[in-house]
Amino acid sequence: MLALGCLPAAVRAWGSLILLEPPPQTDSLSMGASYWRVPRSPDGIHADRAVLPAFDYERHDGIFVSTETGLGYNASQTDQWQAGVRLWPQFGRSRQDSSAELPRIGPRMQGQGYANLLLADVVLVQSAISAGSGQGRGGVQAEWGLSSAIPWSTGMLGVGAAATLGNRVFRRDYTGVDQAGWTDWSWTLSLDQKLSGPWHMDGQWQRAQILRHGANGASGDPAWHPSALLLSLWRDW
């Protein structure tokens, strides 16, 4: 049976659709460590790897601060829908991956509005609009996705698919196509598992394909960029 009651509070490492639980009844804090493997850019062949401290603080009024979900606000008090705003870091494209056609893009905080809706307790419809990407911060992208999960007594396995529509600046700076349109599609596997006592772990693996259709209808070969992986071990306080 598919269900979504225990989807973890994780975010796509490429793209930015978000999964959140309702705000807790009382403020909650979890800390731990995360292993990140994230592509340096959508089209790049290199990926950065790091083990970093993990932090997740959720207030009862919907404000959250997390190394996985950024800084934001969730207006919902129920599993049936989620909506809010957040700031999320974008790491851009390094000099190693830049070229004459694809510029270097420095790191920055990107703003986002998001809204999710749970249908029949089986499928979560996700959406987000983000601004501030690209070399001159004029990039805007809209994302849509569907997620579901298979639960068991101590955890769950989730699966999702998503696609991104970018404006001209976003597509030009990230894919080399100087025209607004569909930028990528991706699929994701998520895992959440309770361990003994206050410990639990979550993880997410994602693969995205970059779409390169030009204004004249011609296209280059779609490119699978390196998969993104996030594994976190948490202790609840």
Side-chain angles (χ1 to χ4, degrees):
M1 178 181 176
L2 296 177
L4 288 166
C6 54
L7 277 170
V11 68
R12 297 173 53 207
W14 161 241
S16 57
L17 292 177
I18 192 171
L19 298 172
L20 286 175
E21 297 176 352
Q25 295 297 314
T26 59
D27 297 356
S28 68
L29 173 65
S30 298
M31 292 187 291
S34 296
Y35 169 77
W36 293 78
R37 186 183 71 207
V38 182
R40 292 180 183 175
S41 63
D43 57 296
I45 62 174
H46 304 100
D48 286 326
R49 296 170 175 83
V51 176
L52 300 170
F55 176 88
D56 187 269
Y57 174 63
E58 298 180 42
R59 288 171 42 123
H60 66 281
D61 57 4
I63 295 173
F64 58 86
V65 183
S66 173
T67 51
E68 289 194 356
T69 54
L71 168 64
Y73 172 70
N74 180 15
S76 173
Q77 294 290 331
T78 173
D79 286 322
Q80 300 304 309
W81 62 272
Q82 305 156 7
V85 294
R86 69 180 184 124
L87 292 173
W88 175 248
Q90 298 291 312
F91 299 103
R93 178 185 291 110
S94 67
R95 287 187 176 90
Q96 185 176 1
D97 289 322
S98 62
S99 65
E101 295 79 20
L102 298 171
R104 180 180 183 274
I105 301 172
R108 78 284 311 280
M109 295 295 289
Q110 183 170 316
Q112 179 188 91
Y114 66 89
N116 302 333
L117 179 64
L118 181 61
L119 300 179
D121 293 329
V122 173
V123 176
L124 183 68
V125 180
Q126 301 165 267
S127 65
I129 297 178
S130 305
S133 58
Q135 187 179 35
R137 304 179 187 269
V140 177
Q141 72 264 33
E143 300 169 77
W144 294 271
L146 298 174
S147 294
S148 192
I150 301 173
W152 53 86
S153 60
T154 58
M156 72 93 212
L157 177 66
V159 61
T164 304
L165 183 68
N167 70 347
R168 182 177 179 178
V169 172
F170 183 84
R171 291 195 79 204
R172 181 193 65 208
D173 289 355
Y174 287 102
T175 70
V177 178
D178 195 14
Q179 180 189 28
W182 293 104
T183 302
D184 72 88
W185 72 273
S186 62
W187 63 283
T188 305
L189 294 176
S190 302
L191 174 69
D192 188 45
Q193 178 63 49
K194 295 179 181 178
L195 304 175
S196 61
W199 295 91
H200 70 277
M201 65 172 291
D202 61 45
Q204 192 169 75
W205 180 88
Q206 186 187 62
R207 197 78 188 275
Q209 188 176 55
I210 308 303
L211 307 177
R212 295 186 173 125
H213 293 273
N216 60 1
S219 65
D221 293 333
W224 289 99
H225 76 70
S227 59
L229 177 66
L230 170 61
L231 296 173
S232 298
L233 177 64
W234 299 94
R235 188 189 190 281
D236 300 326
W237 297 88

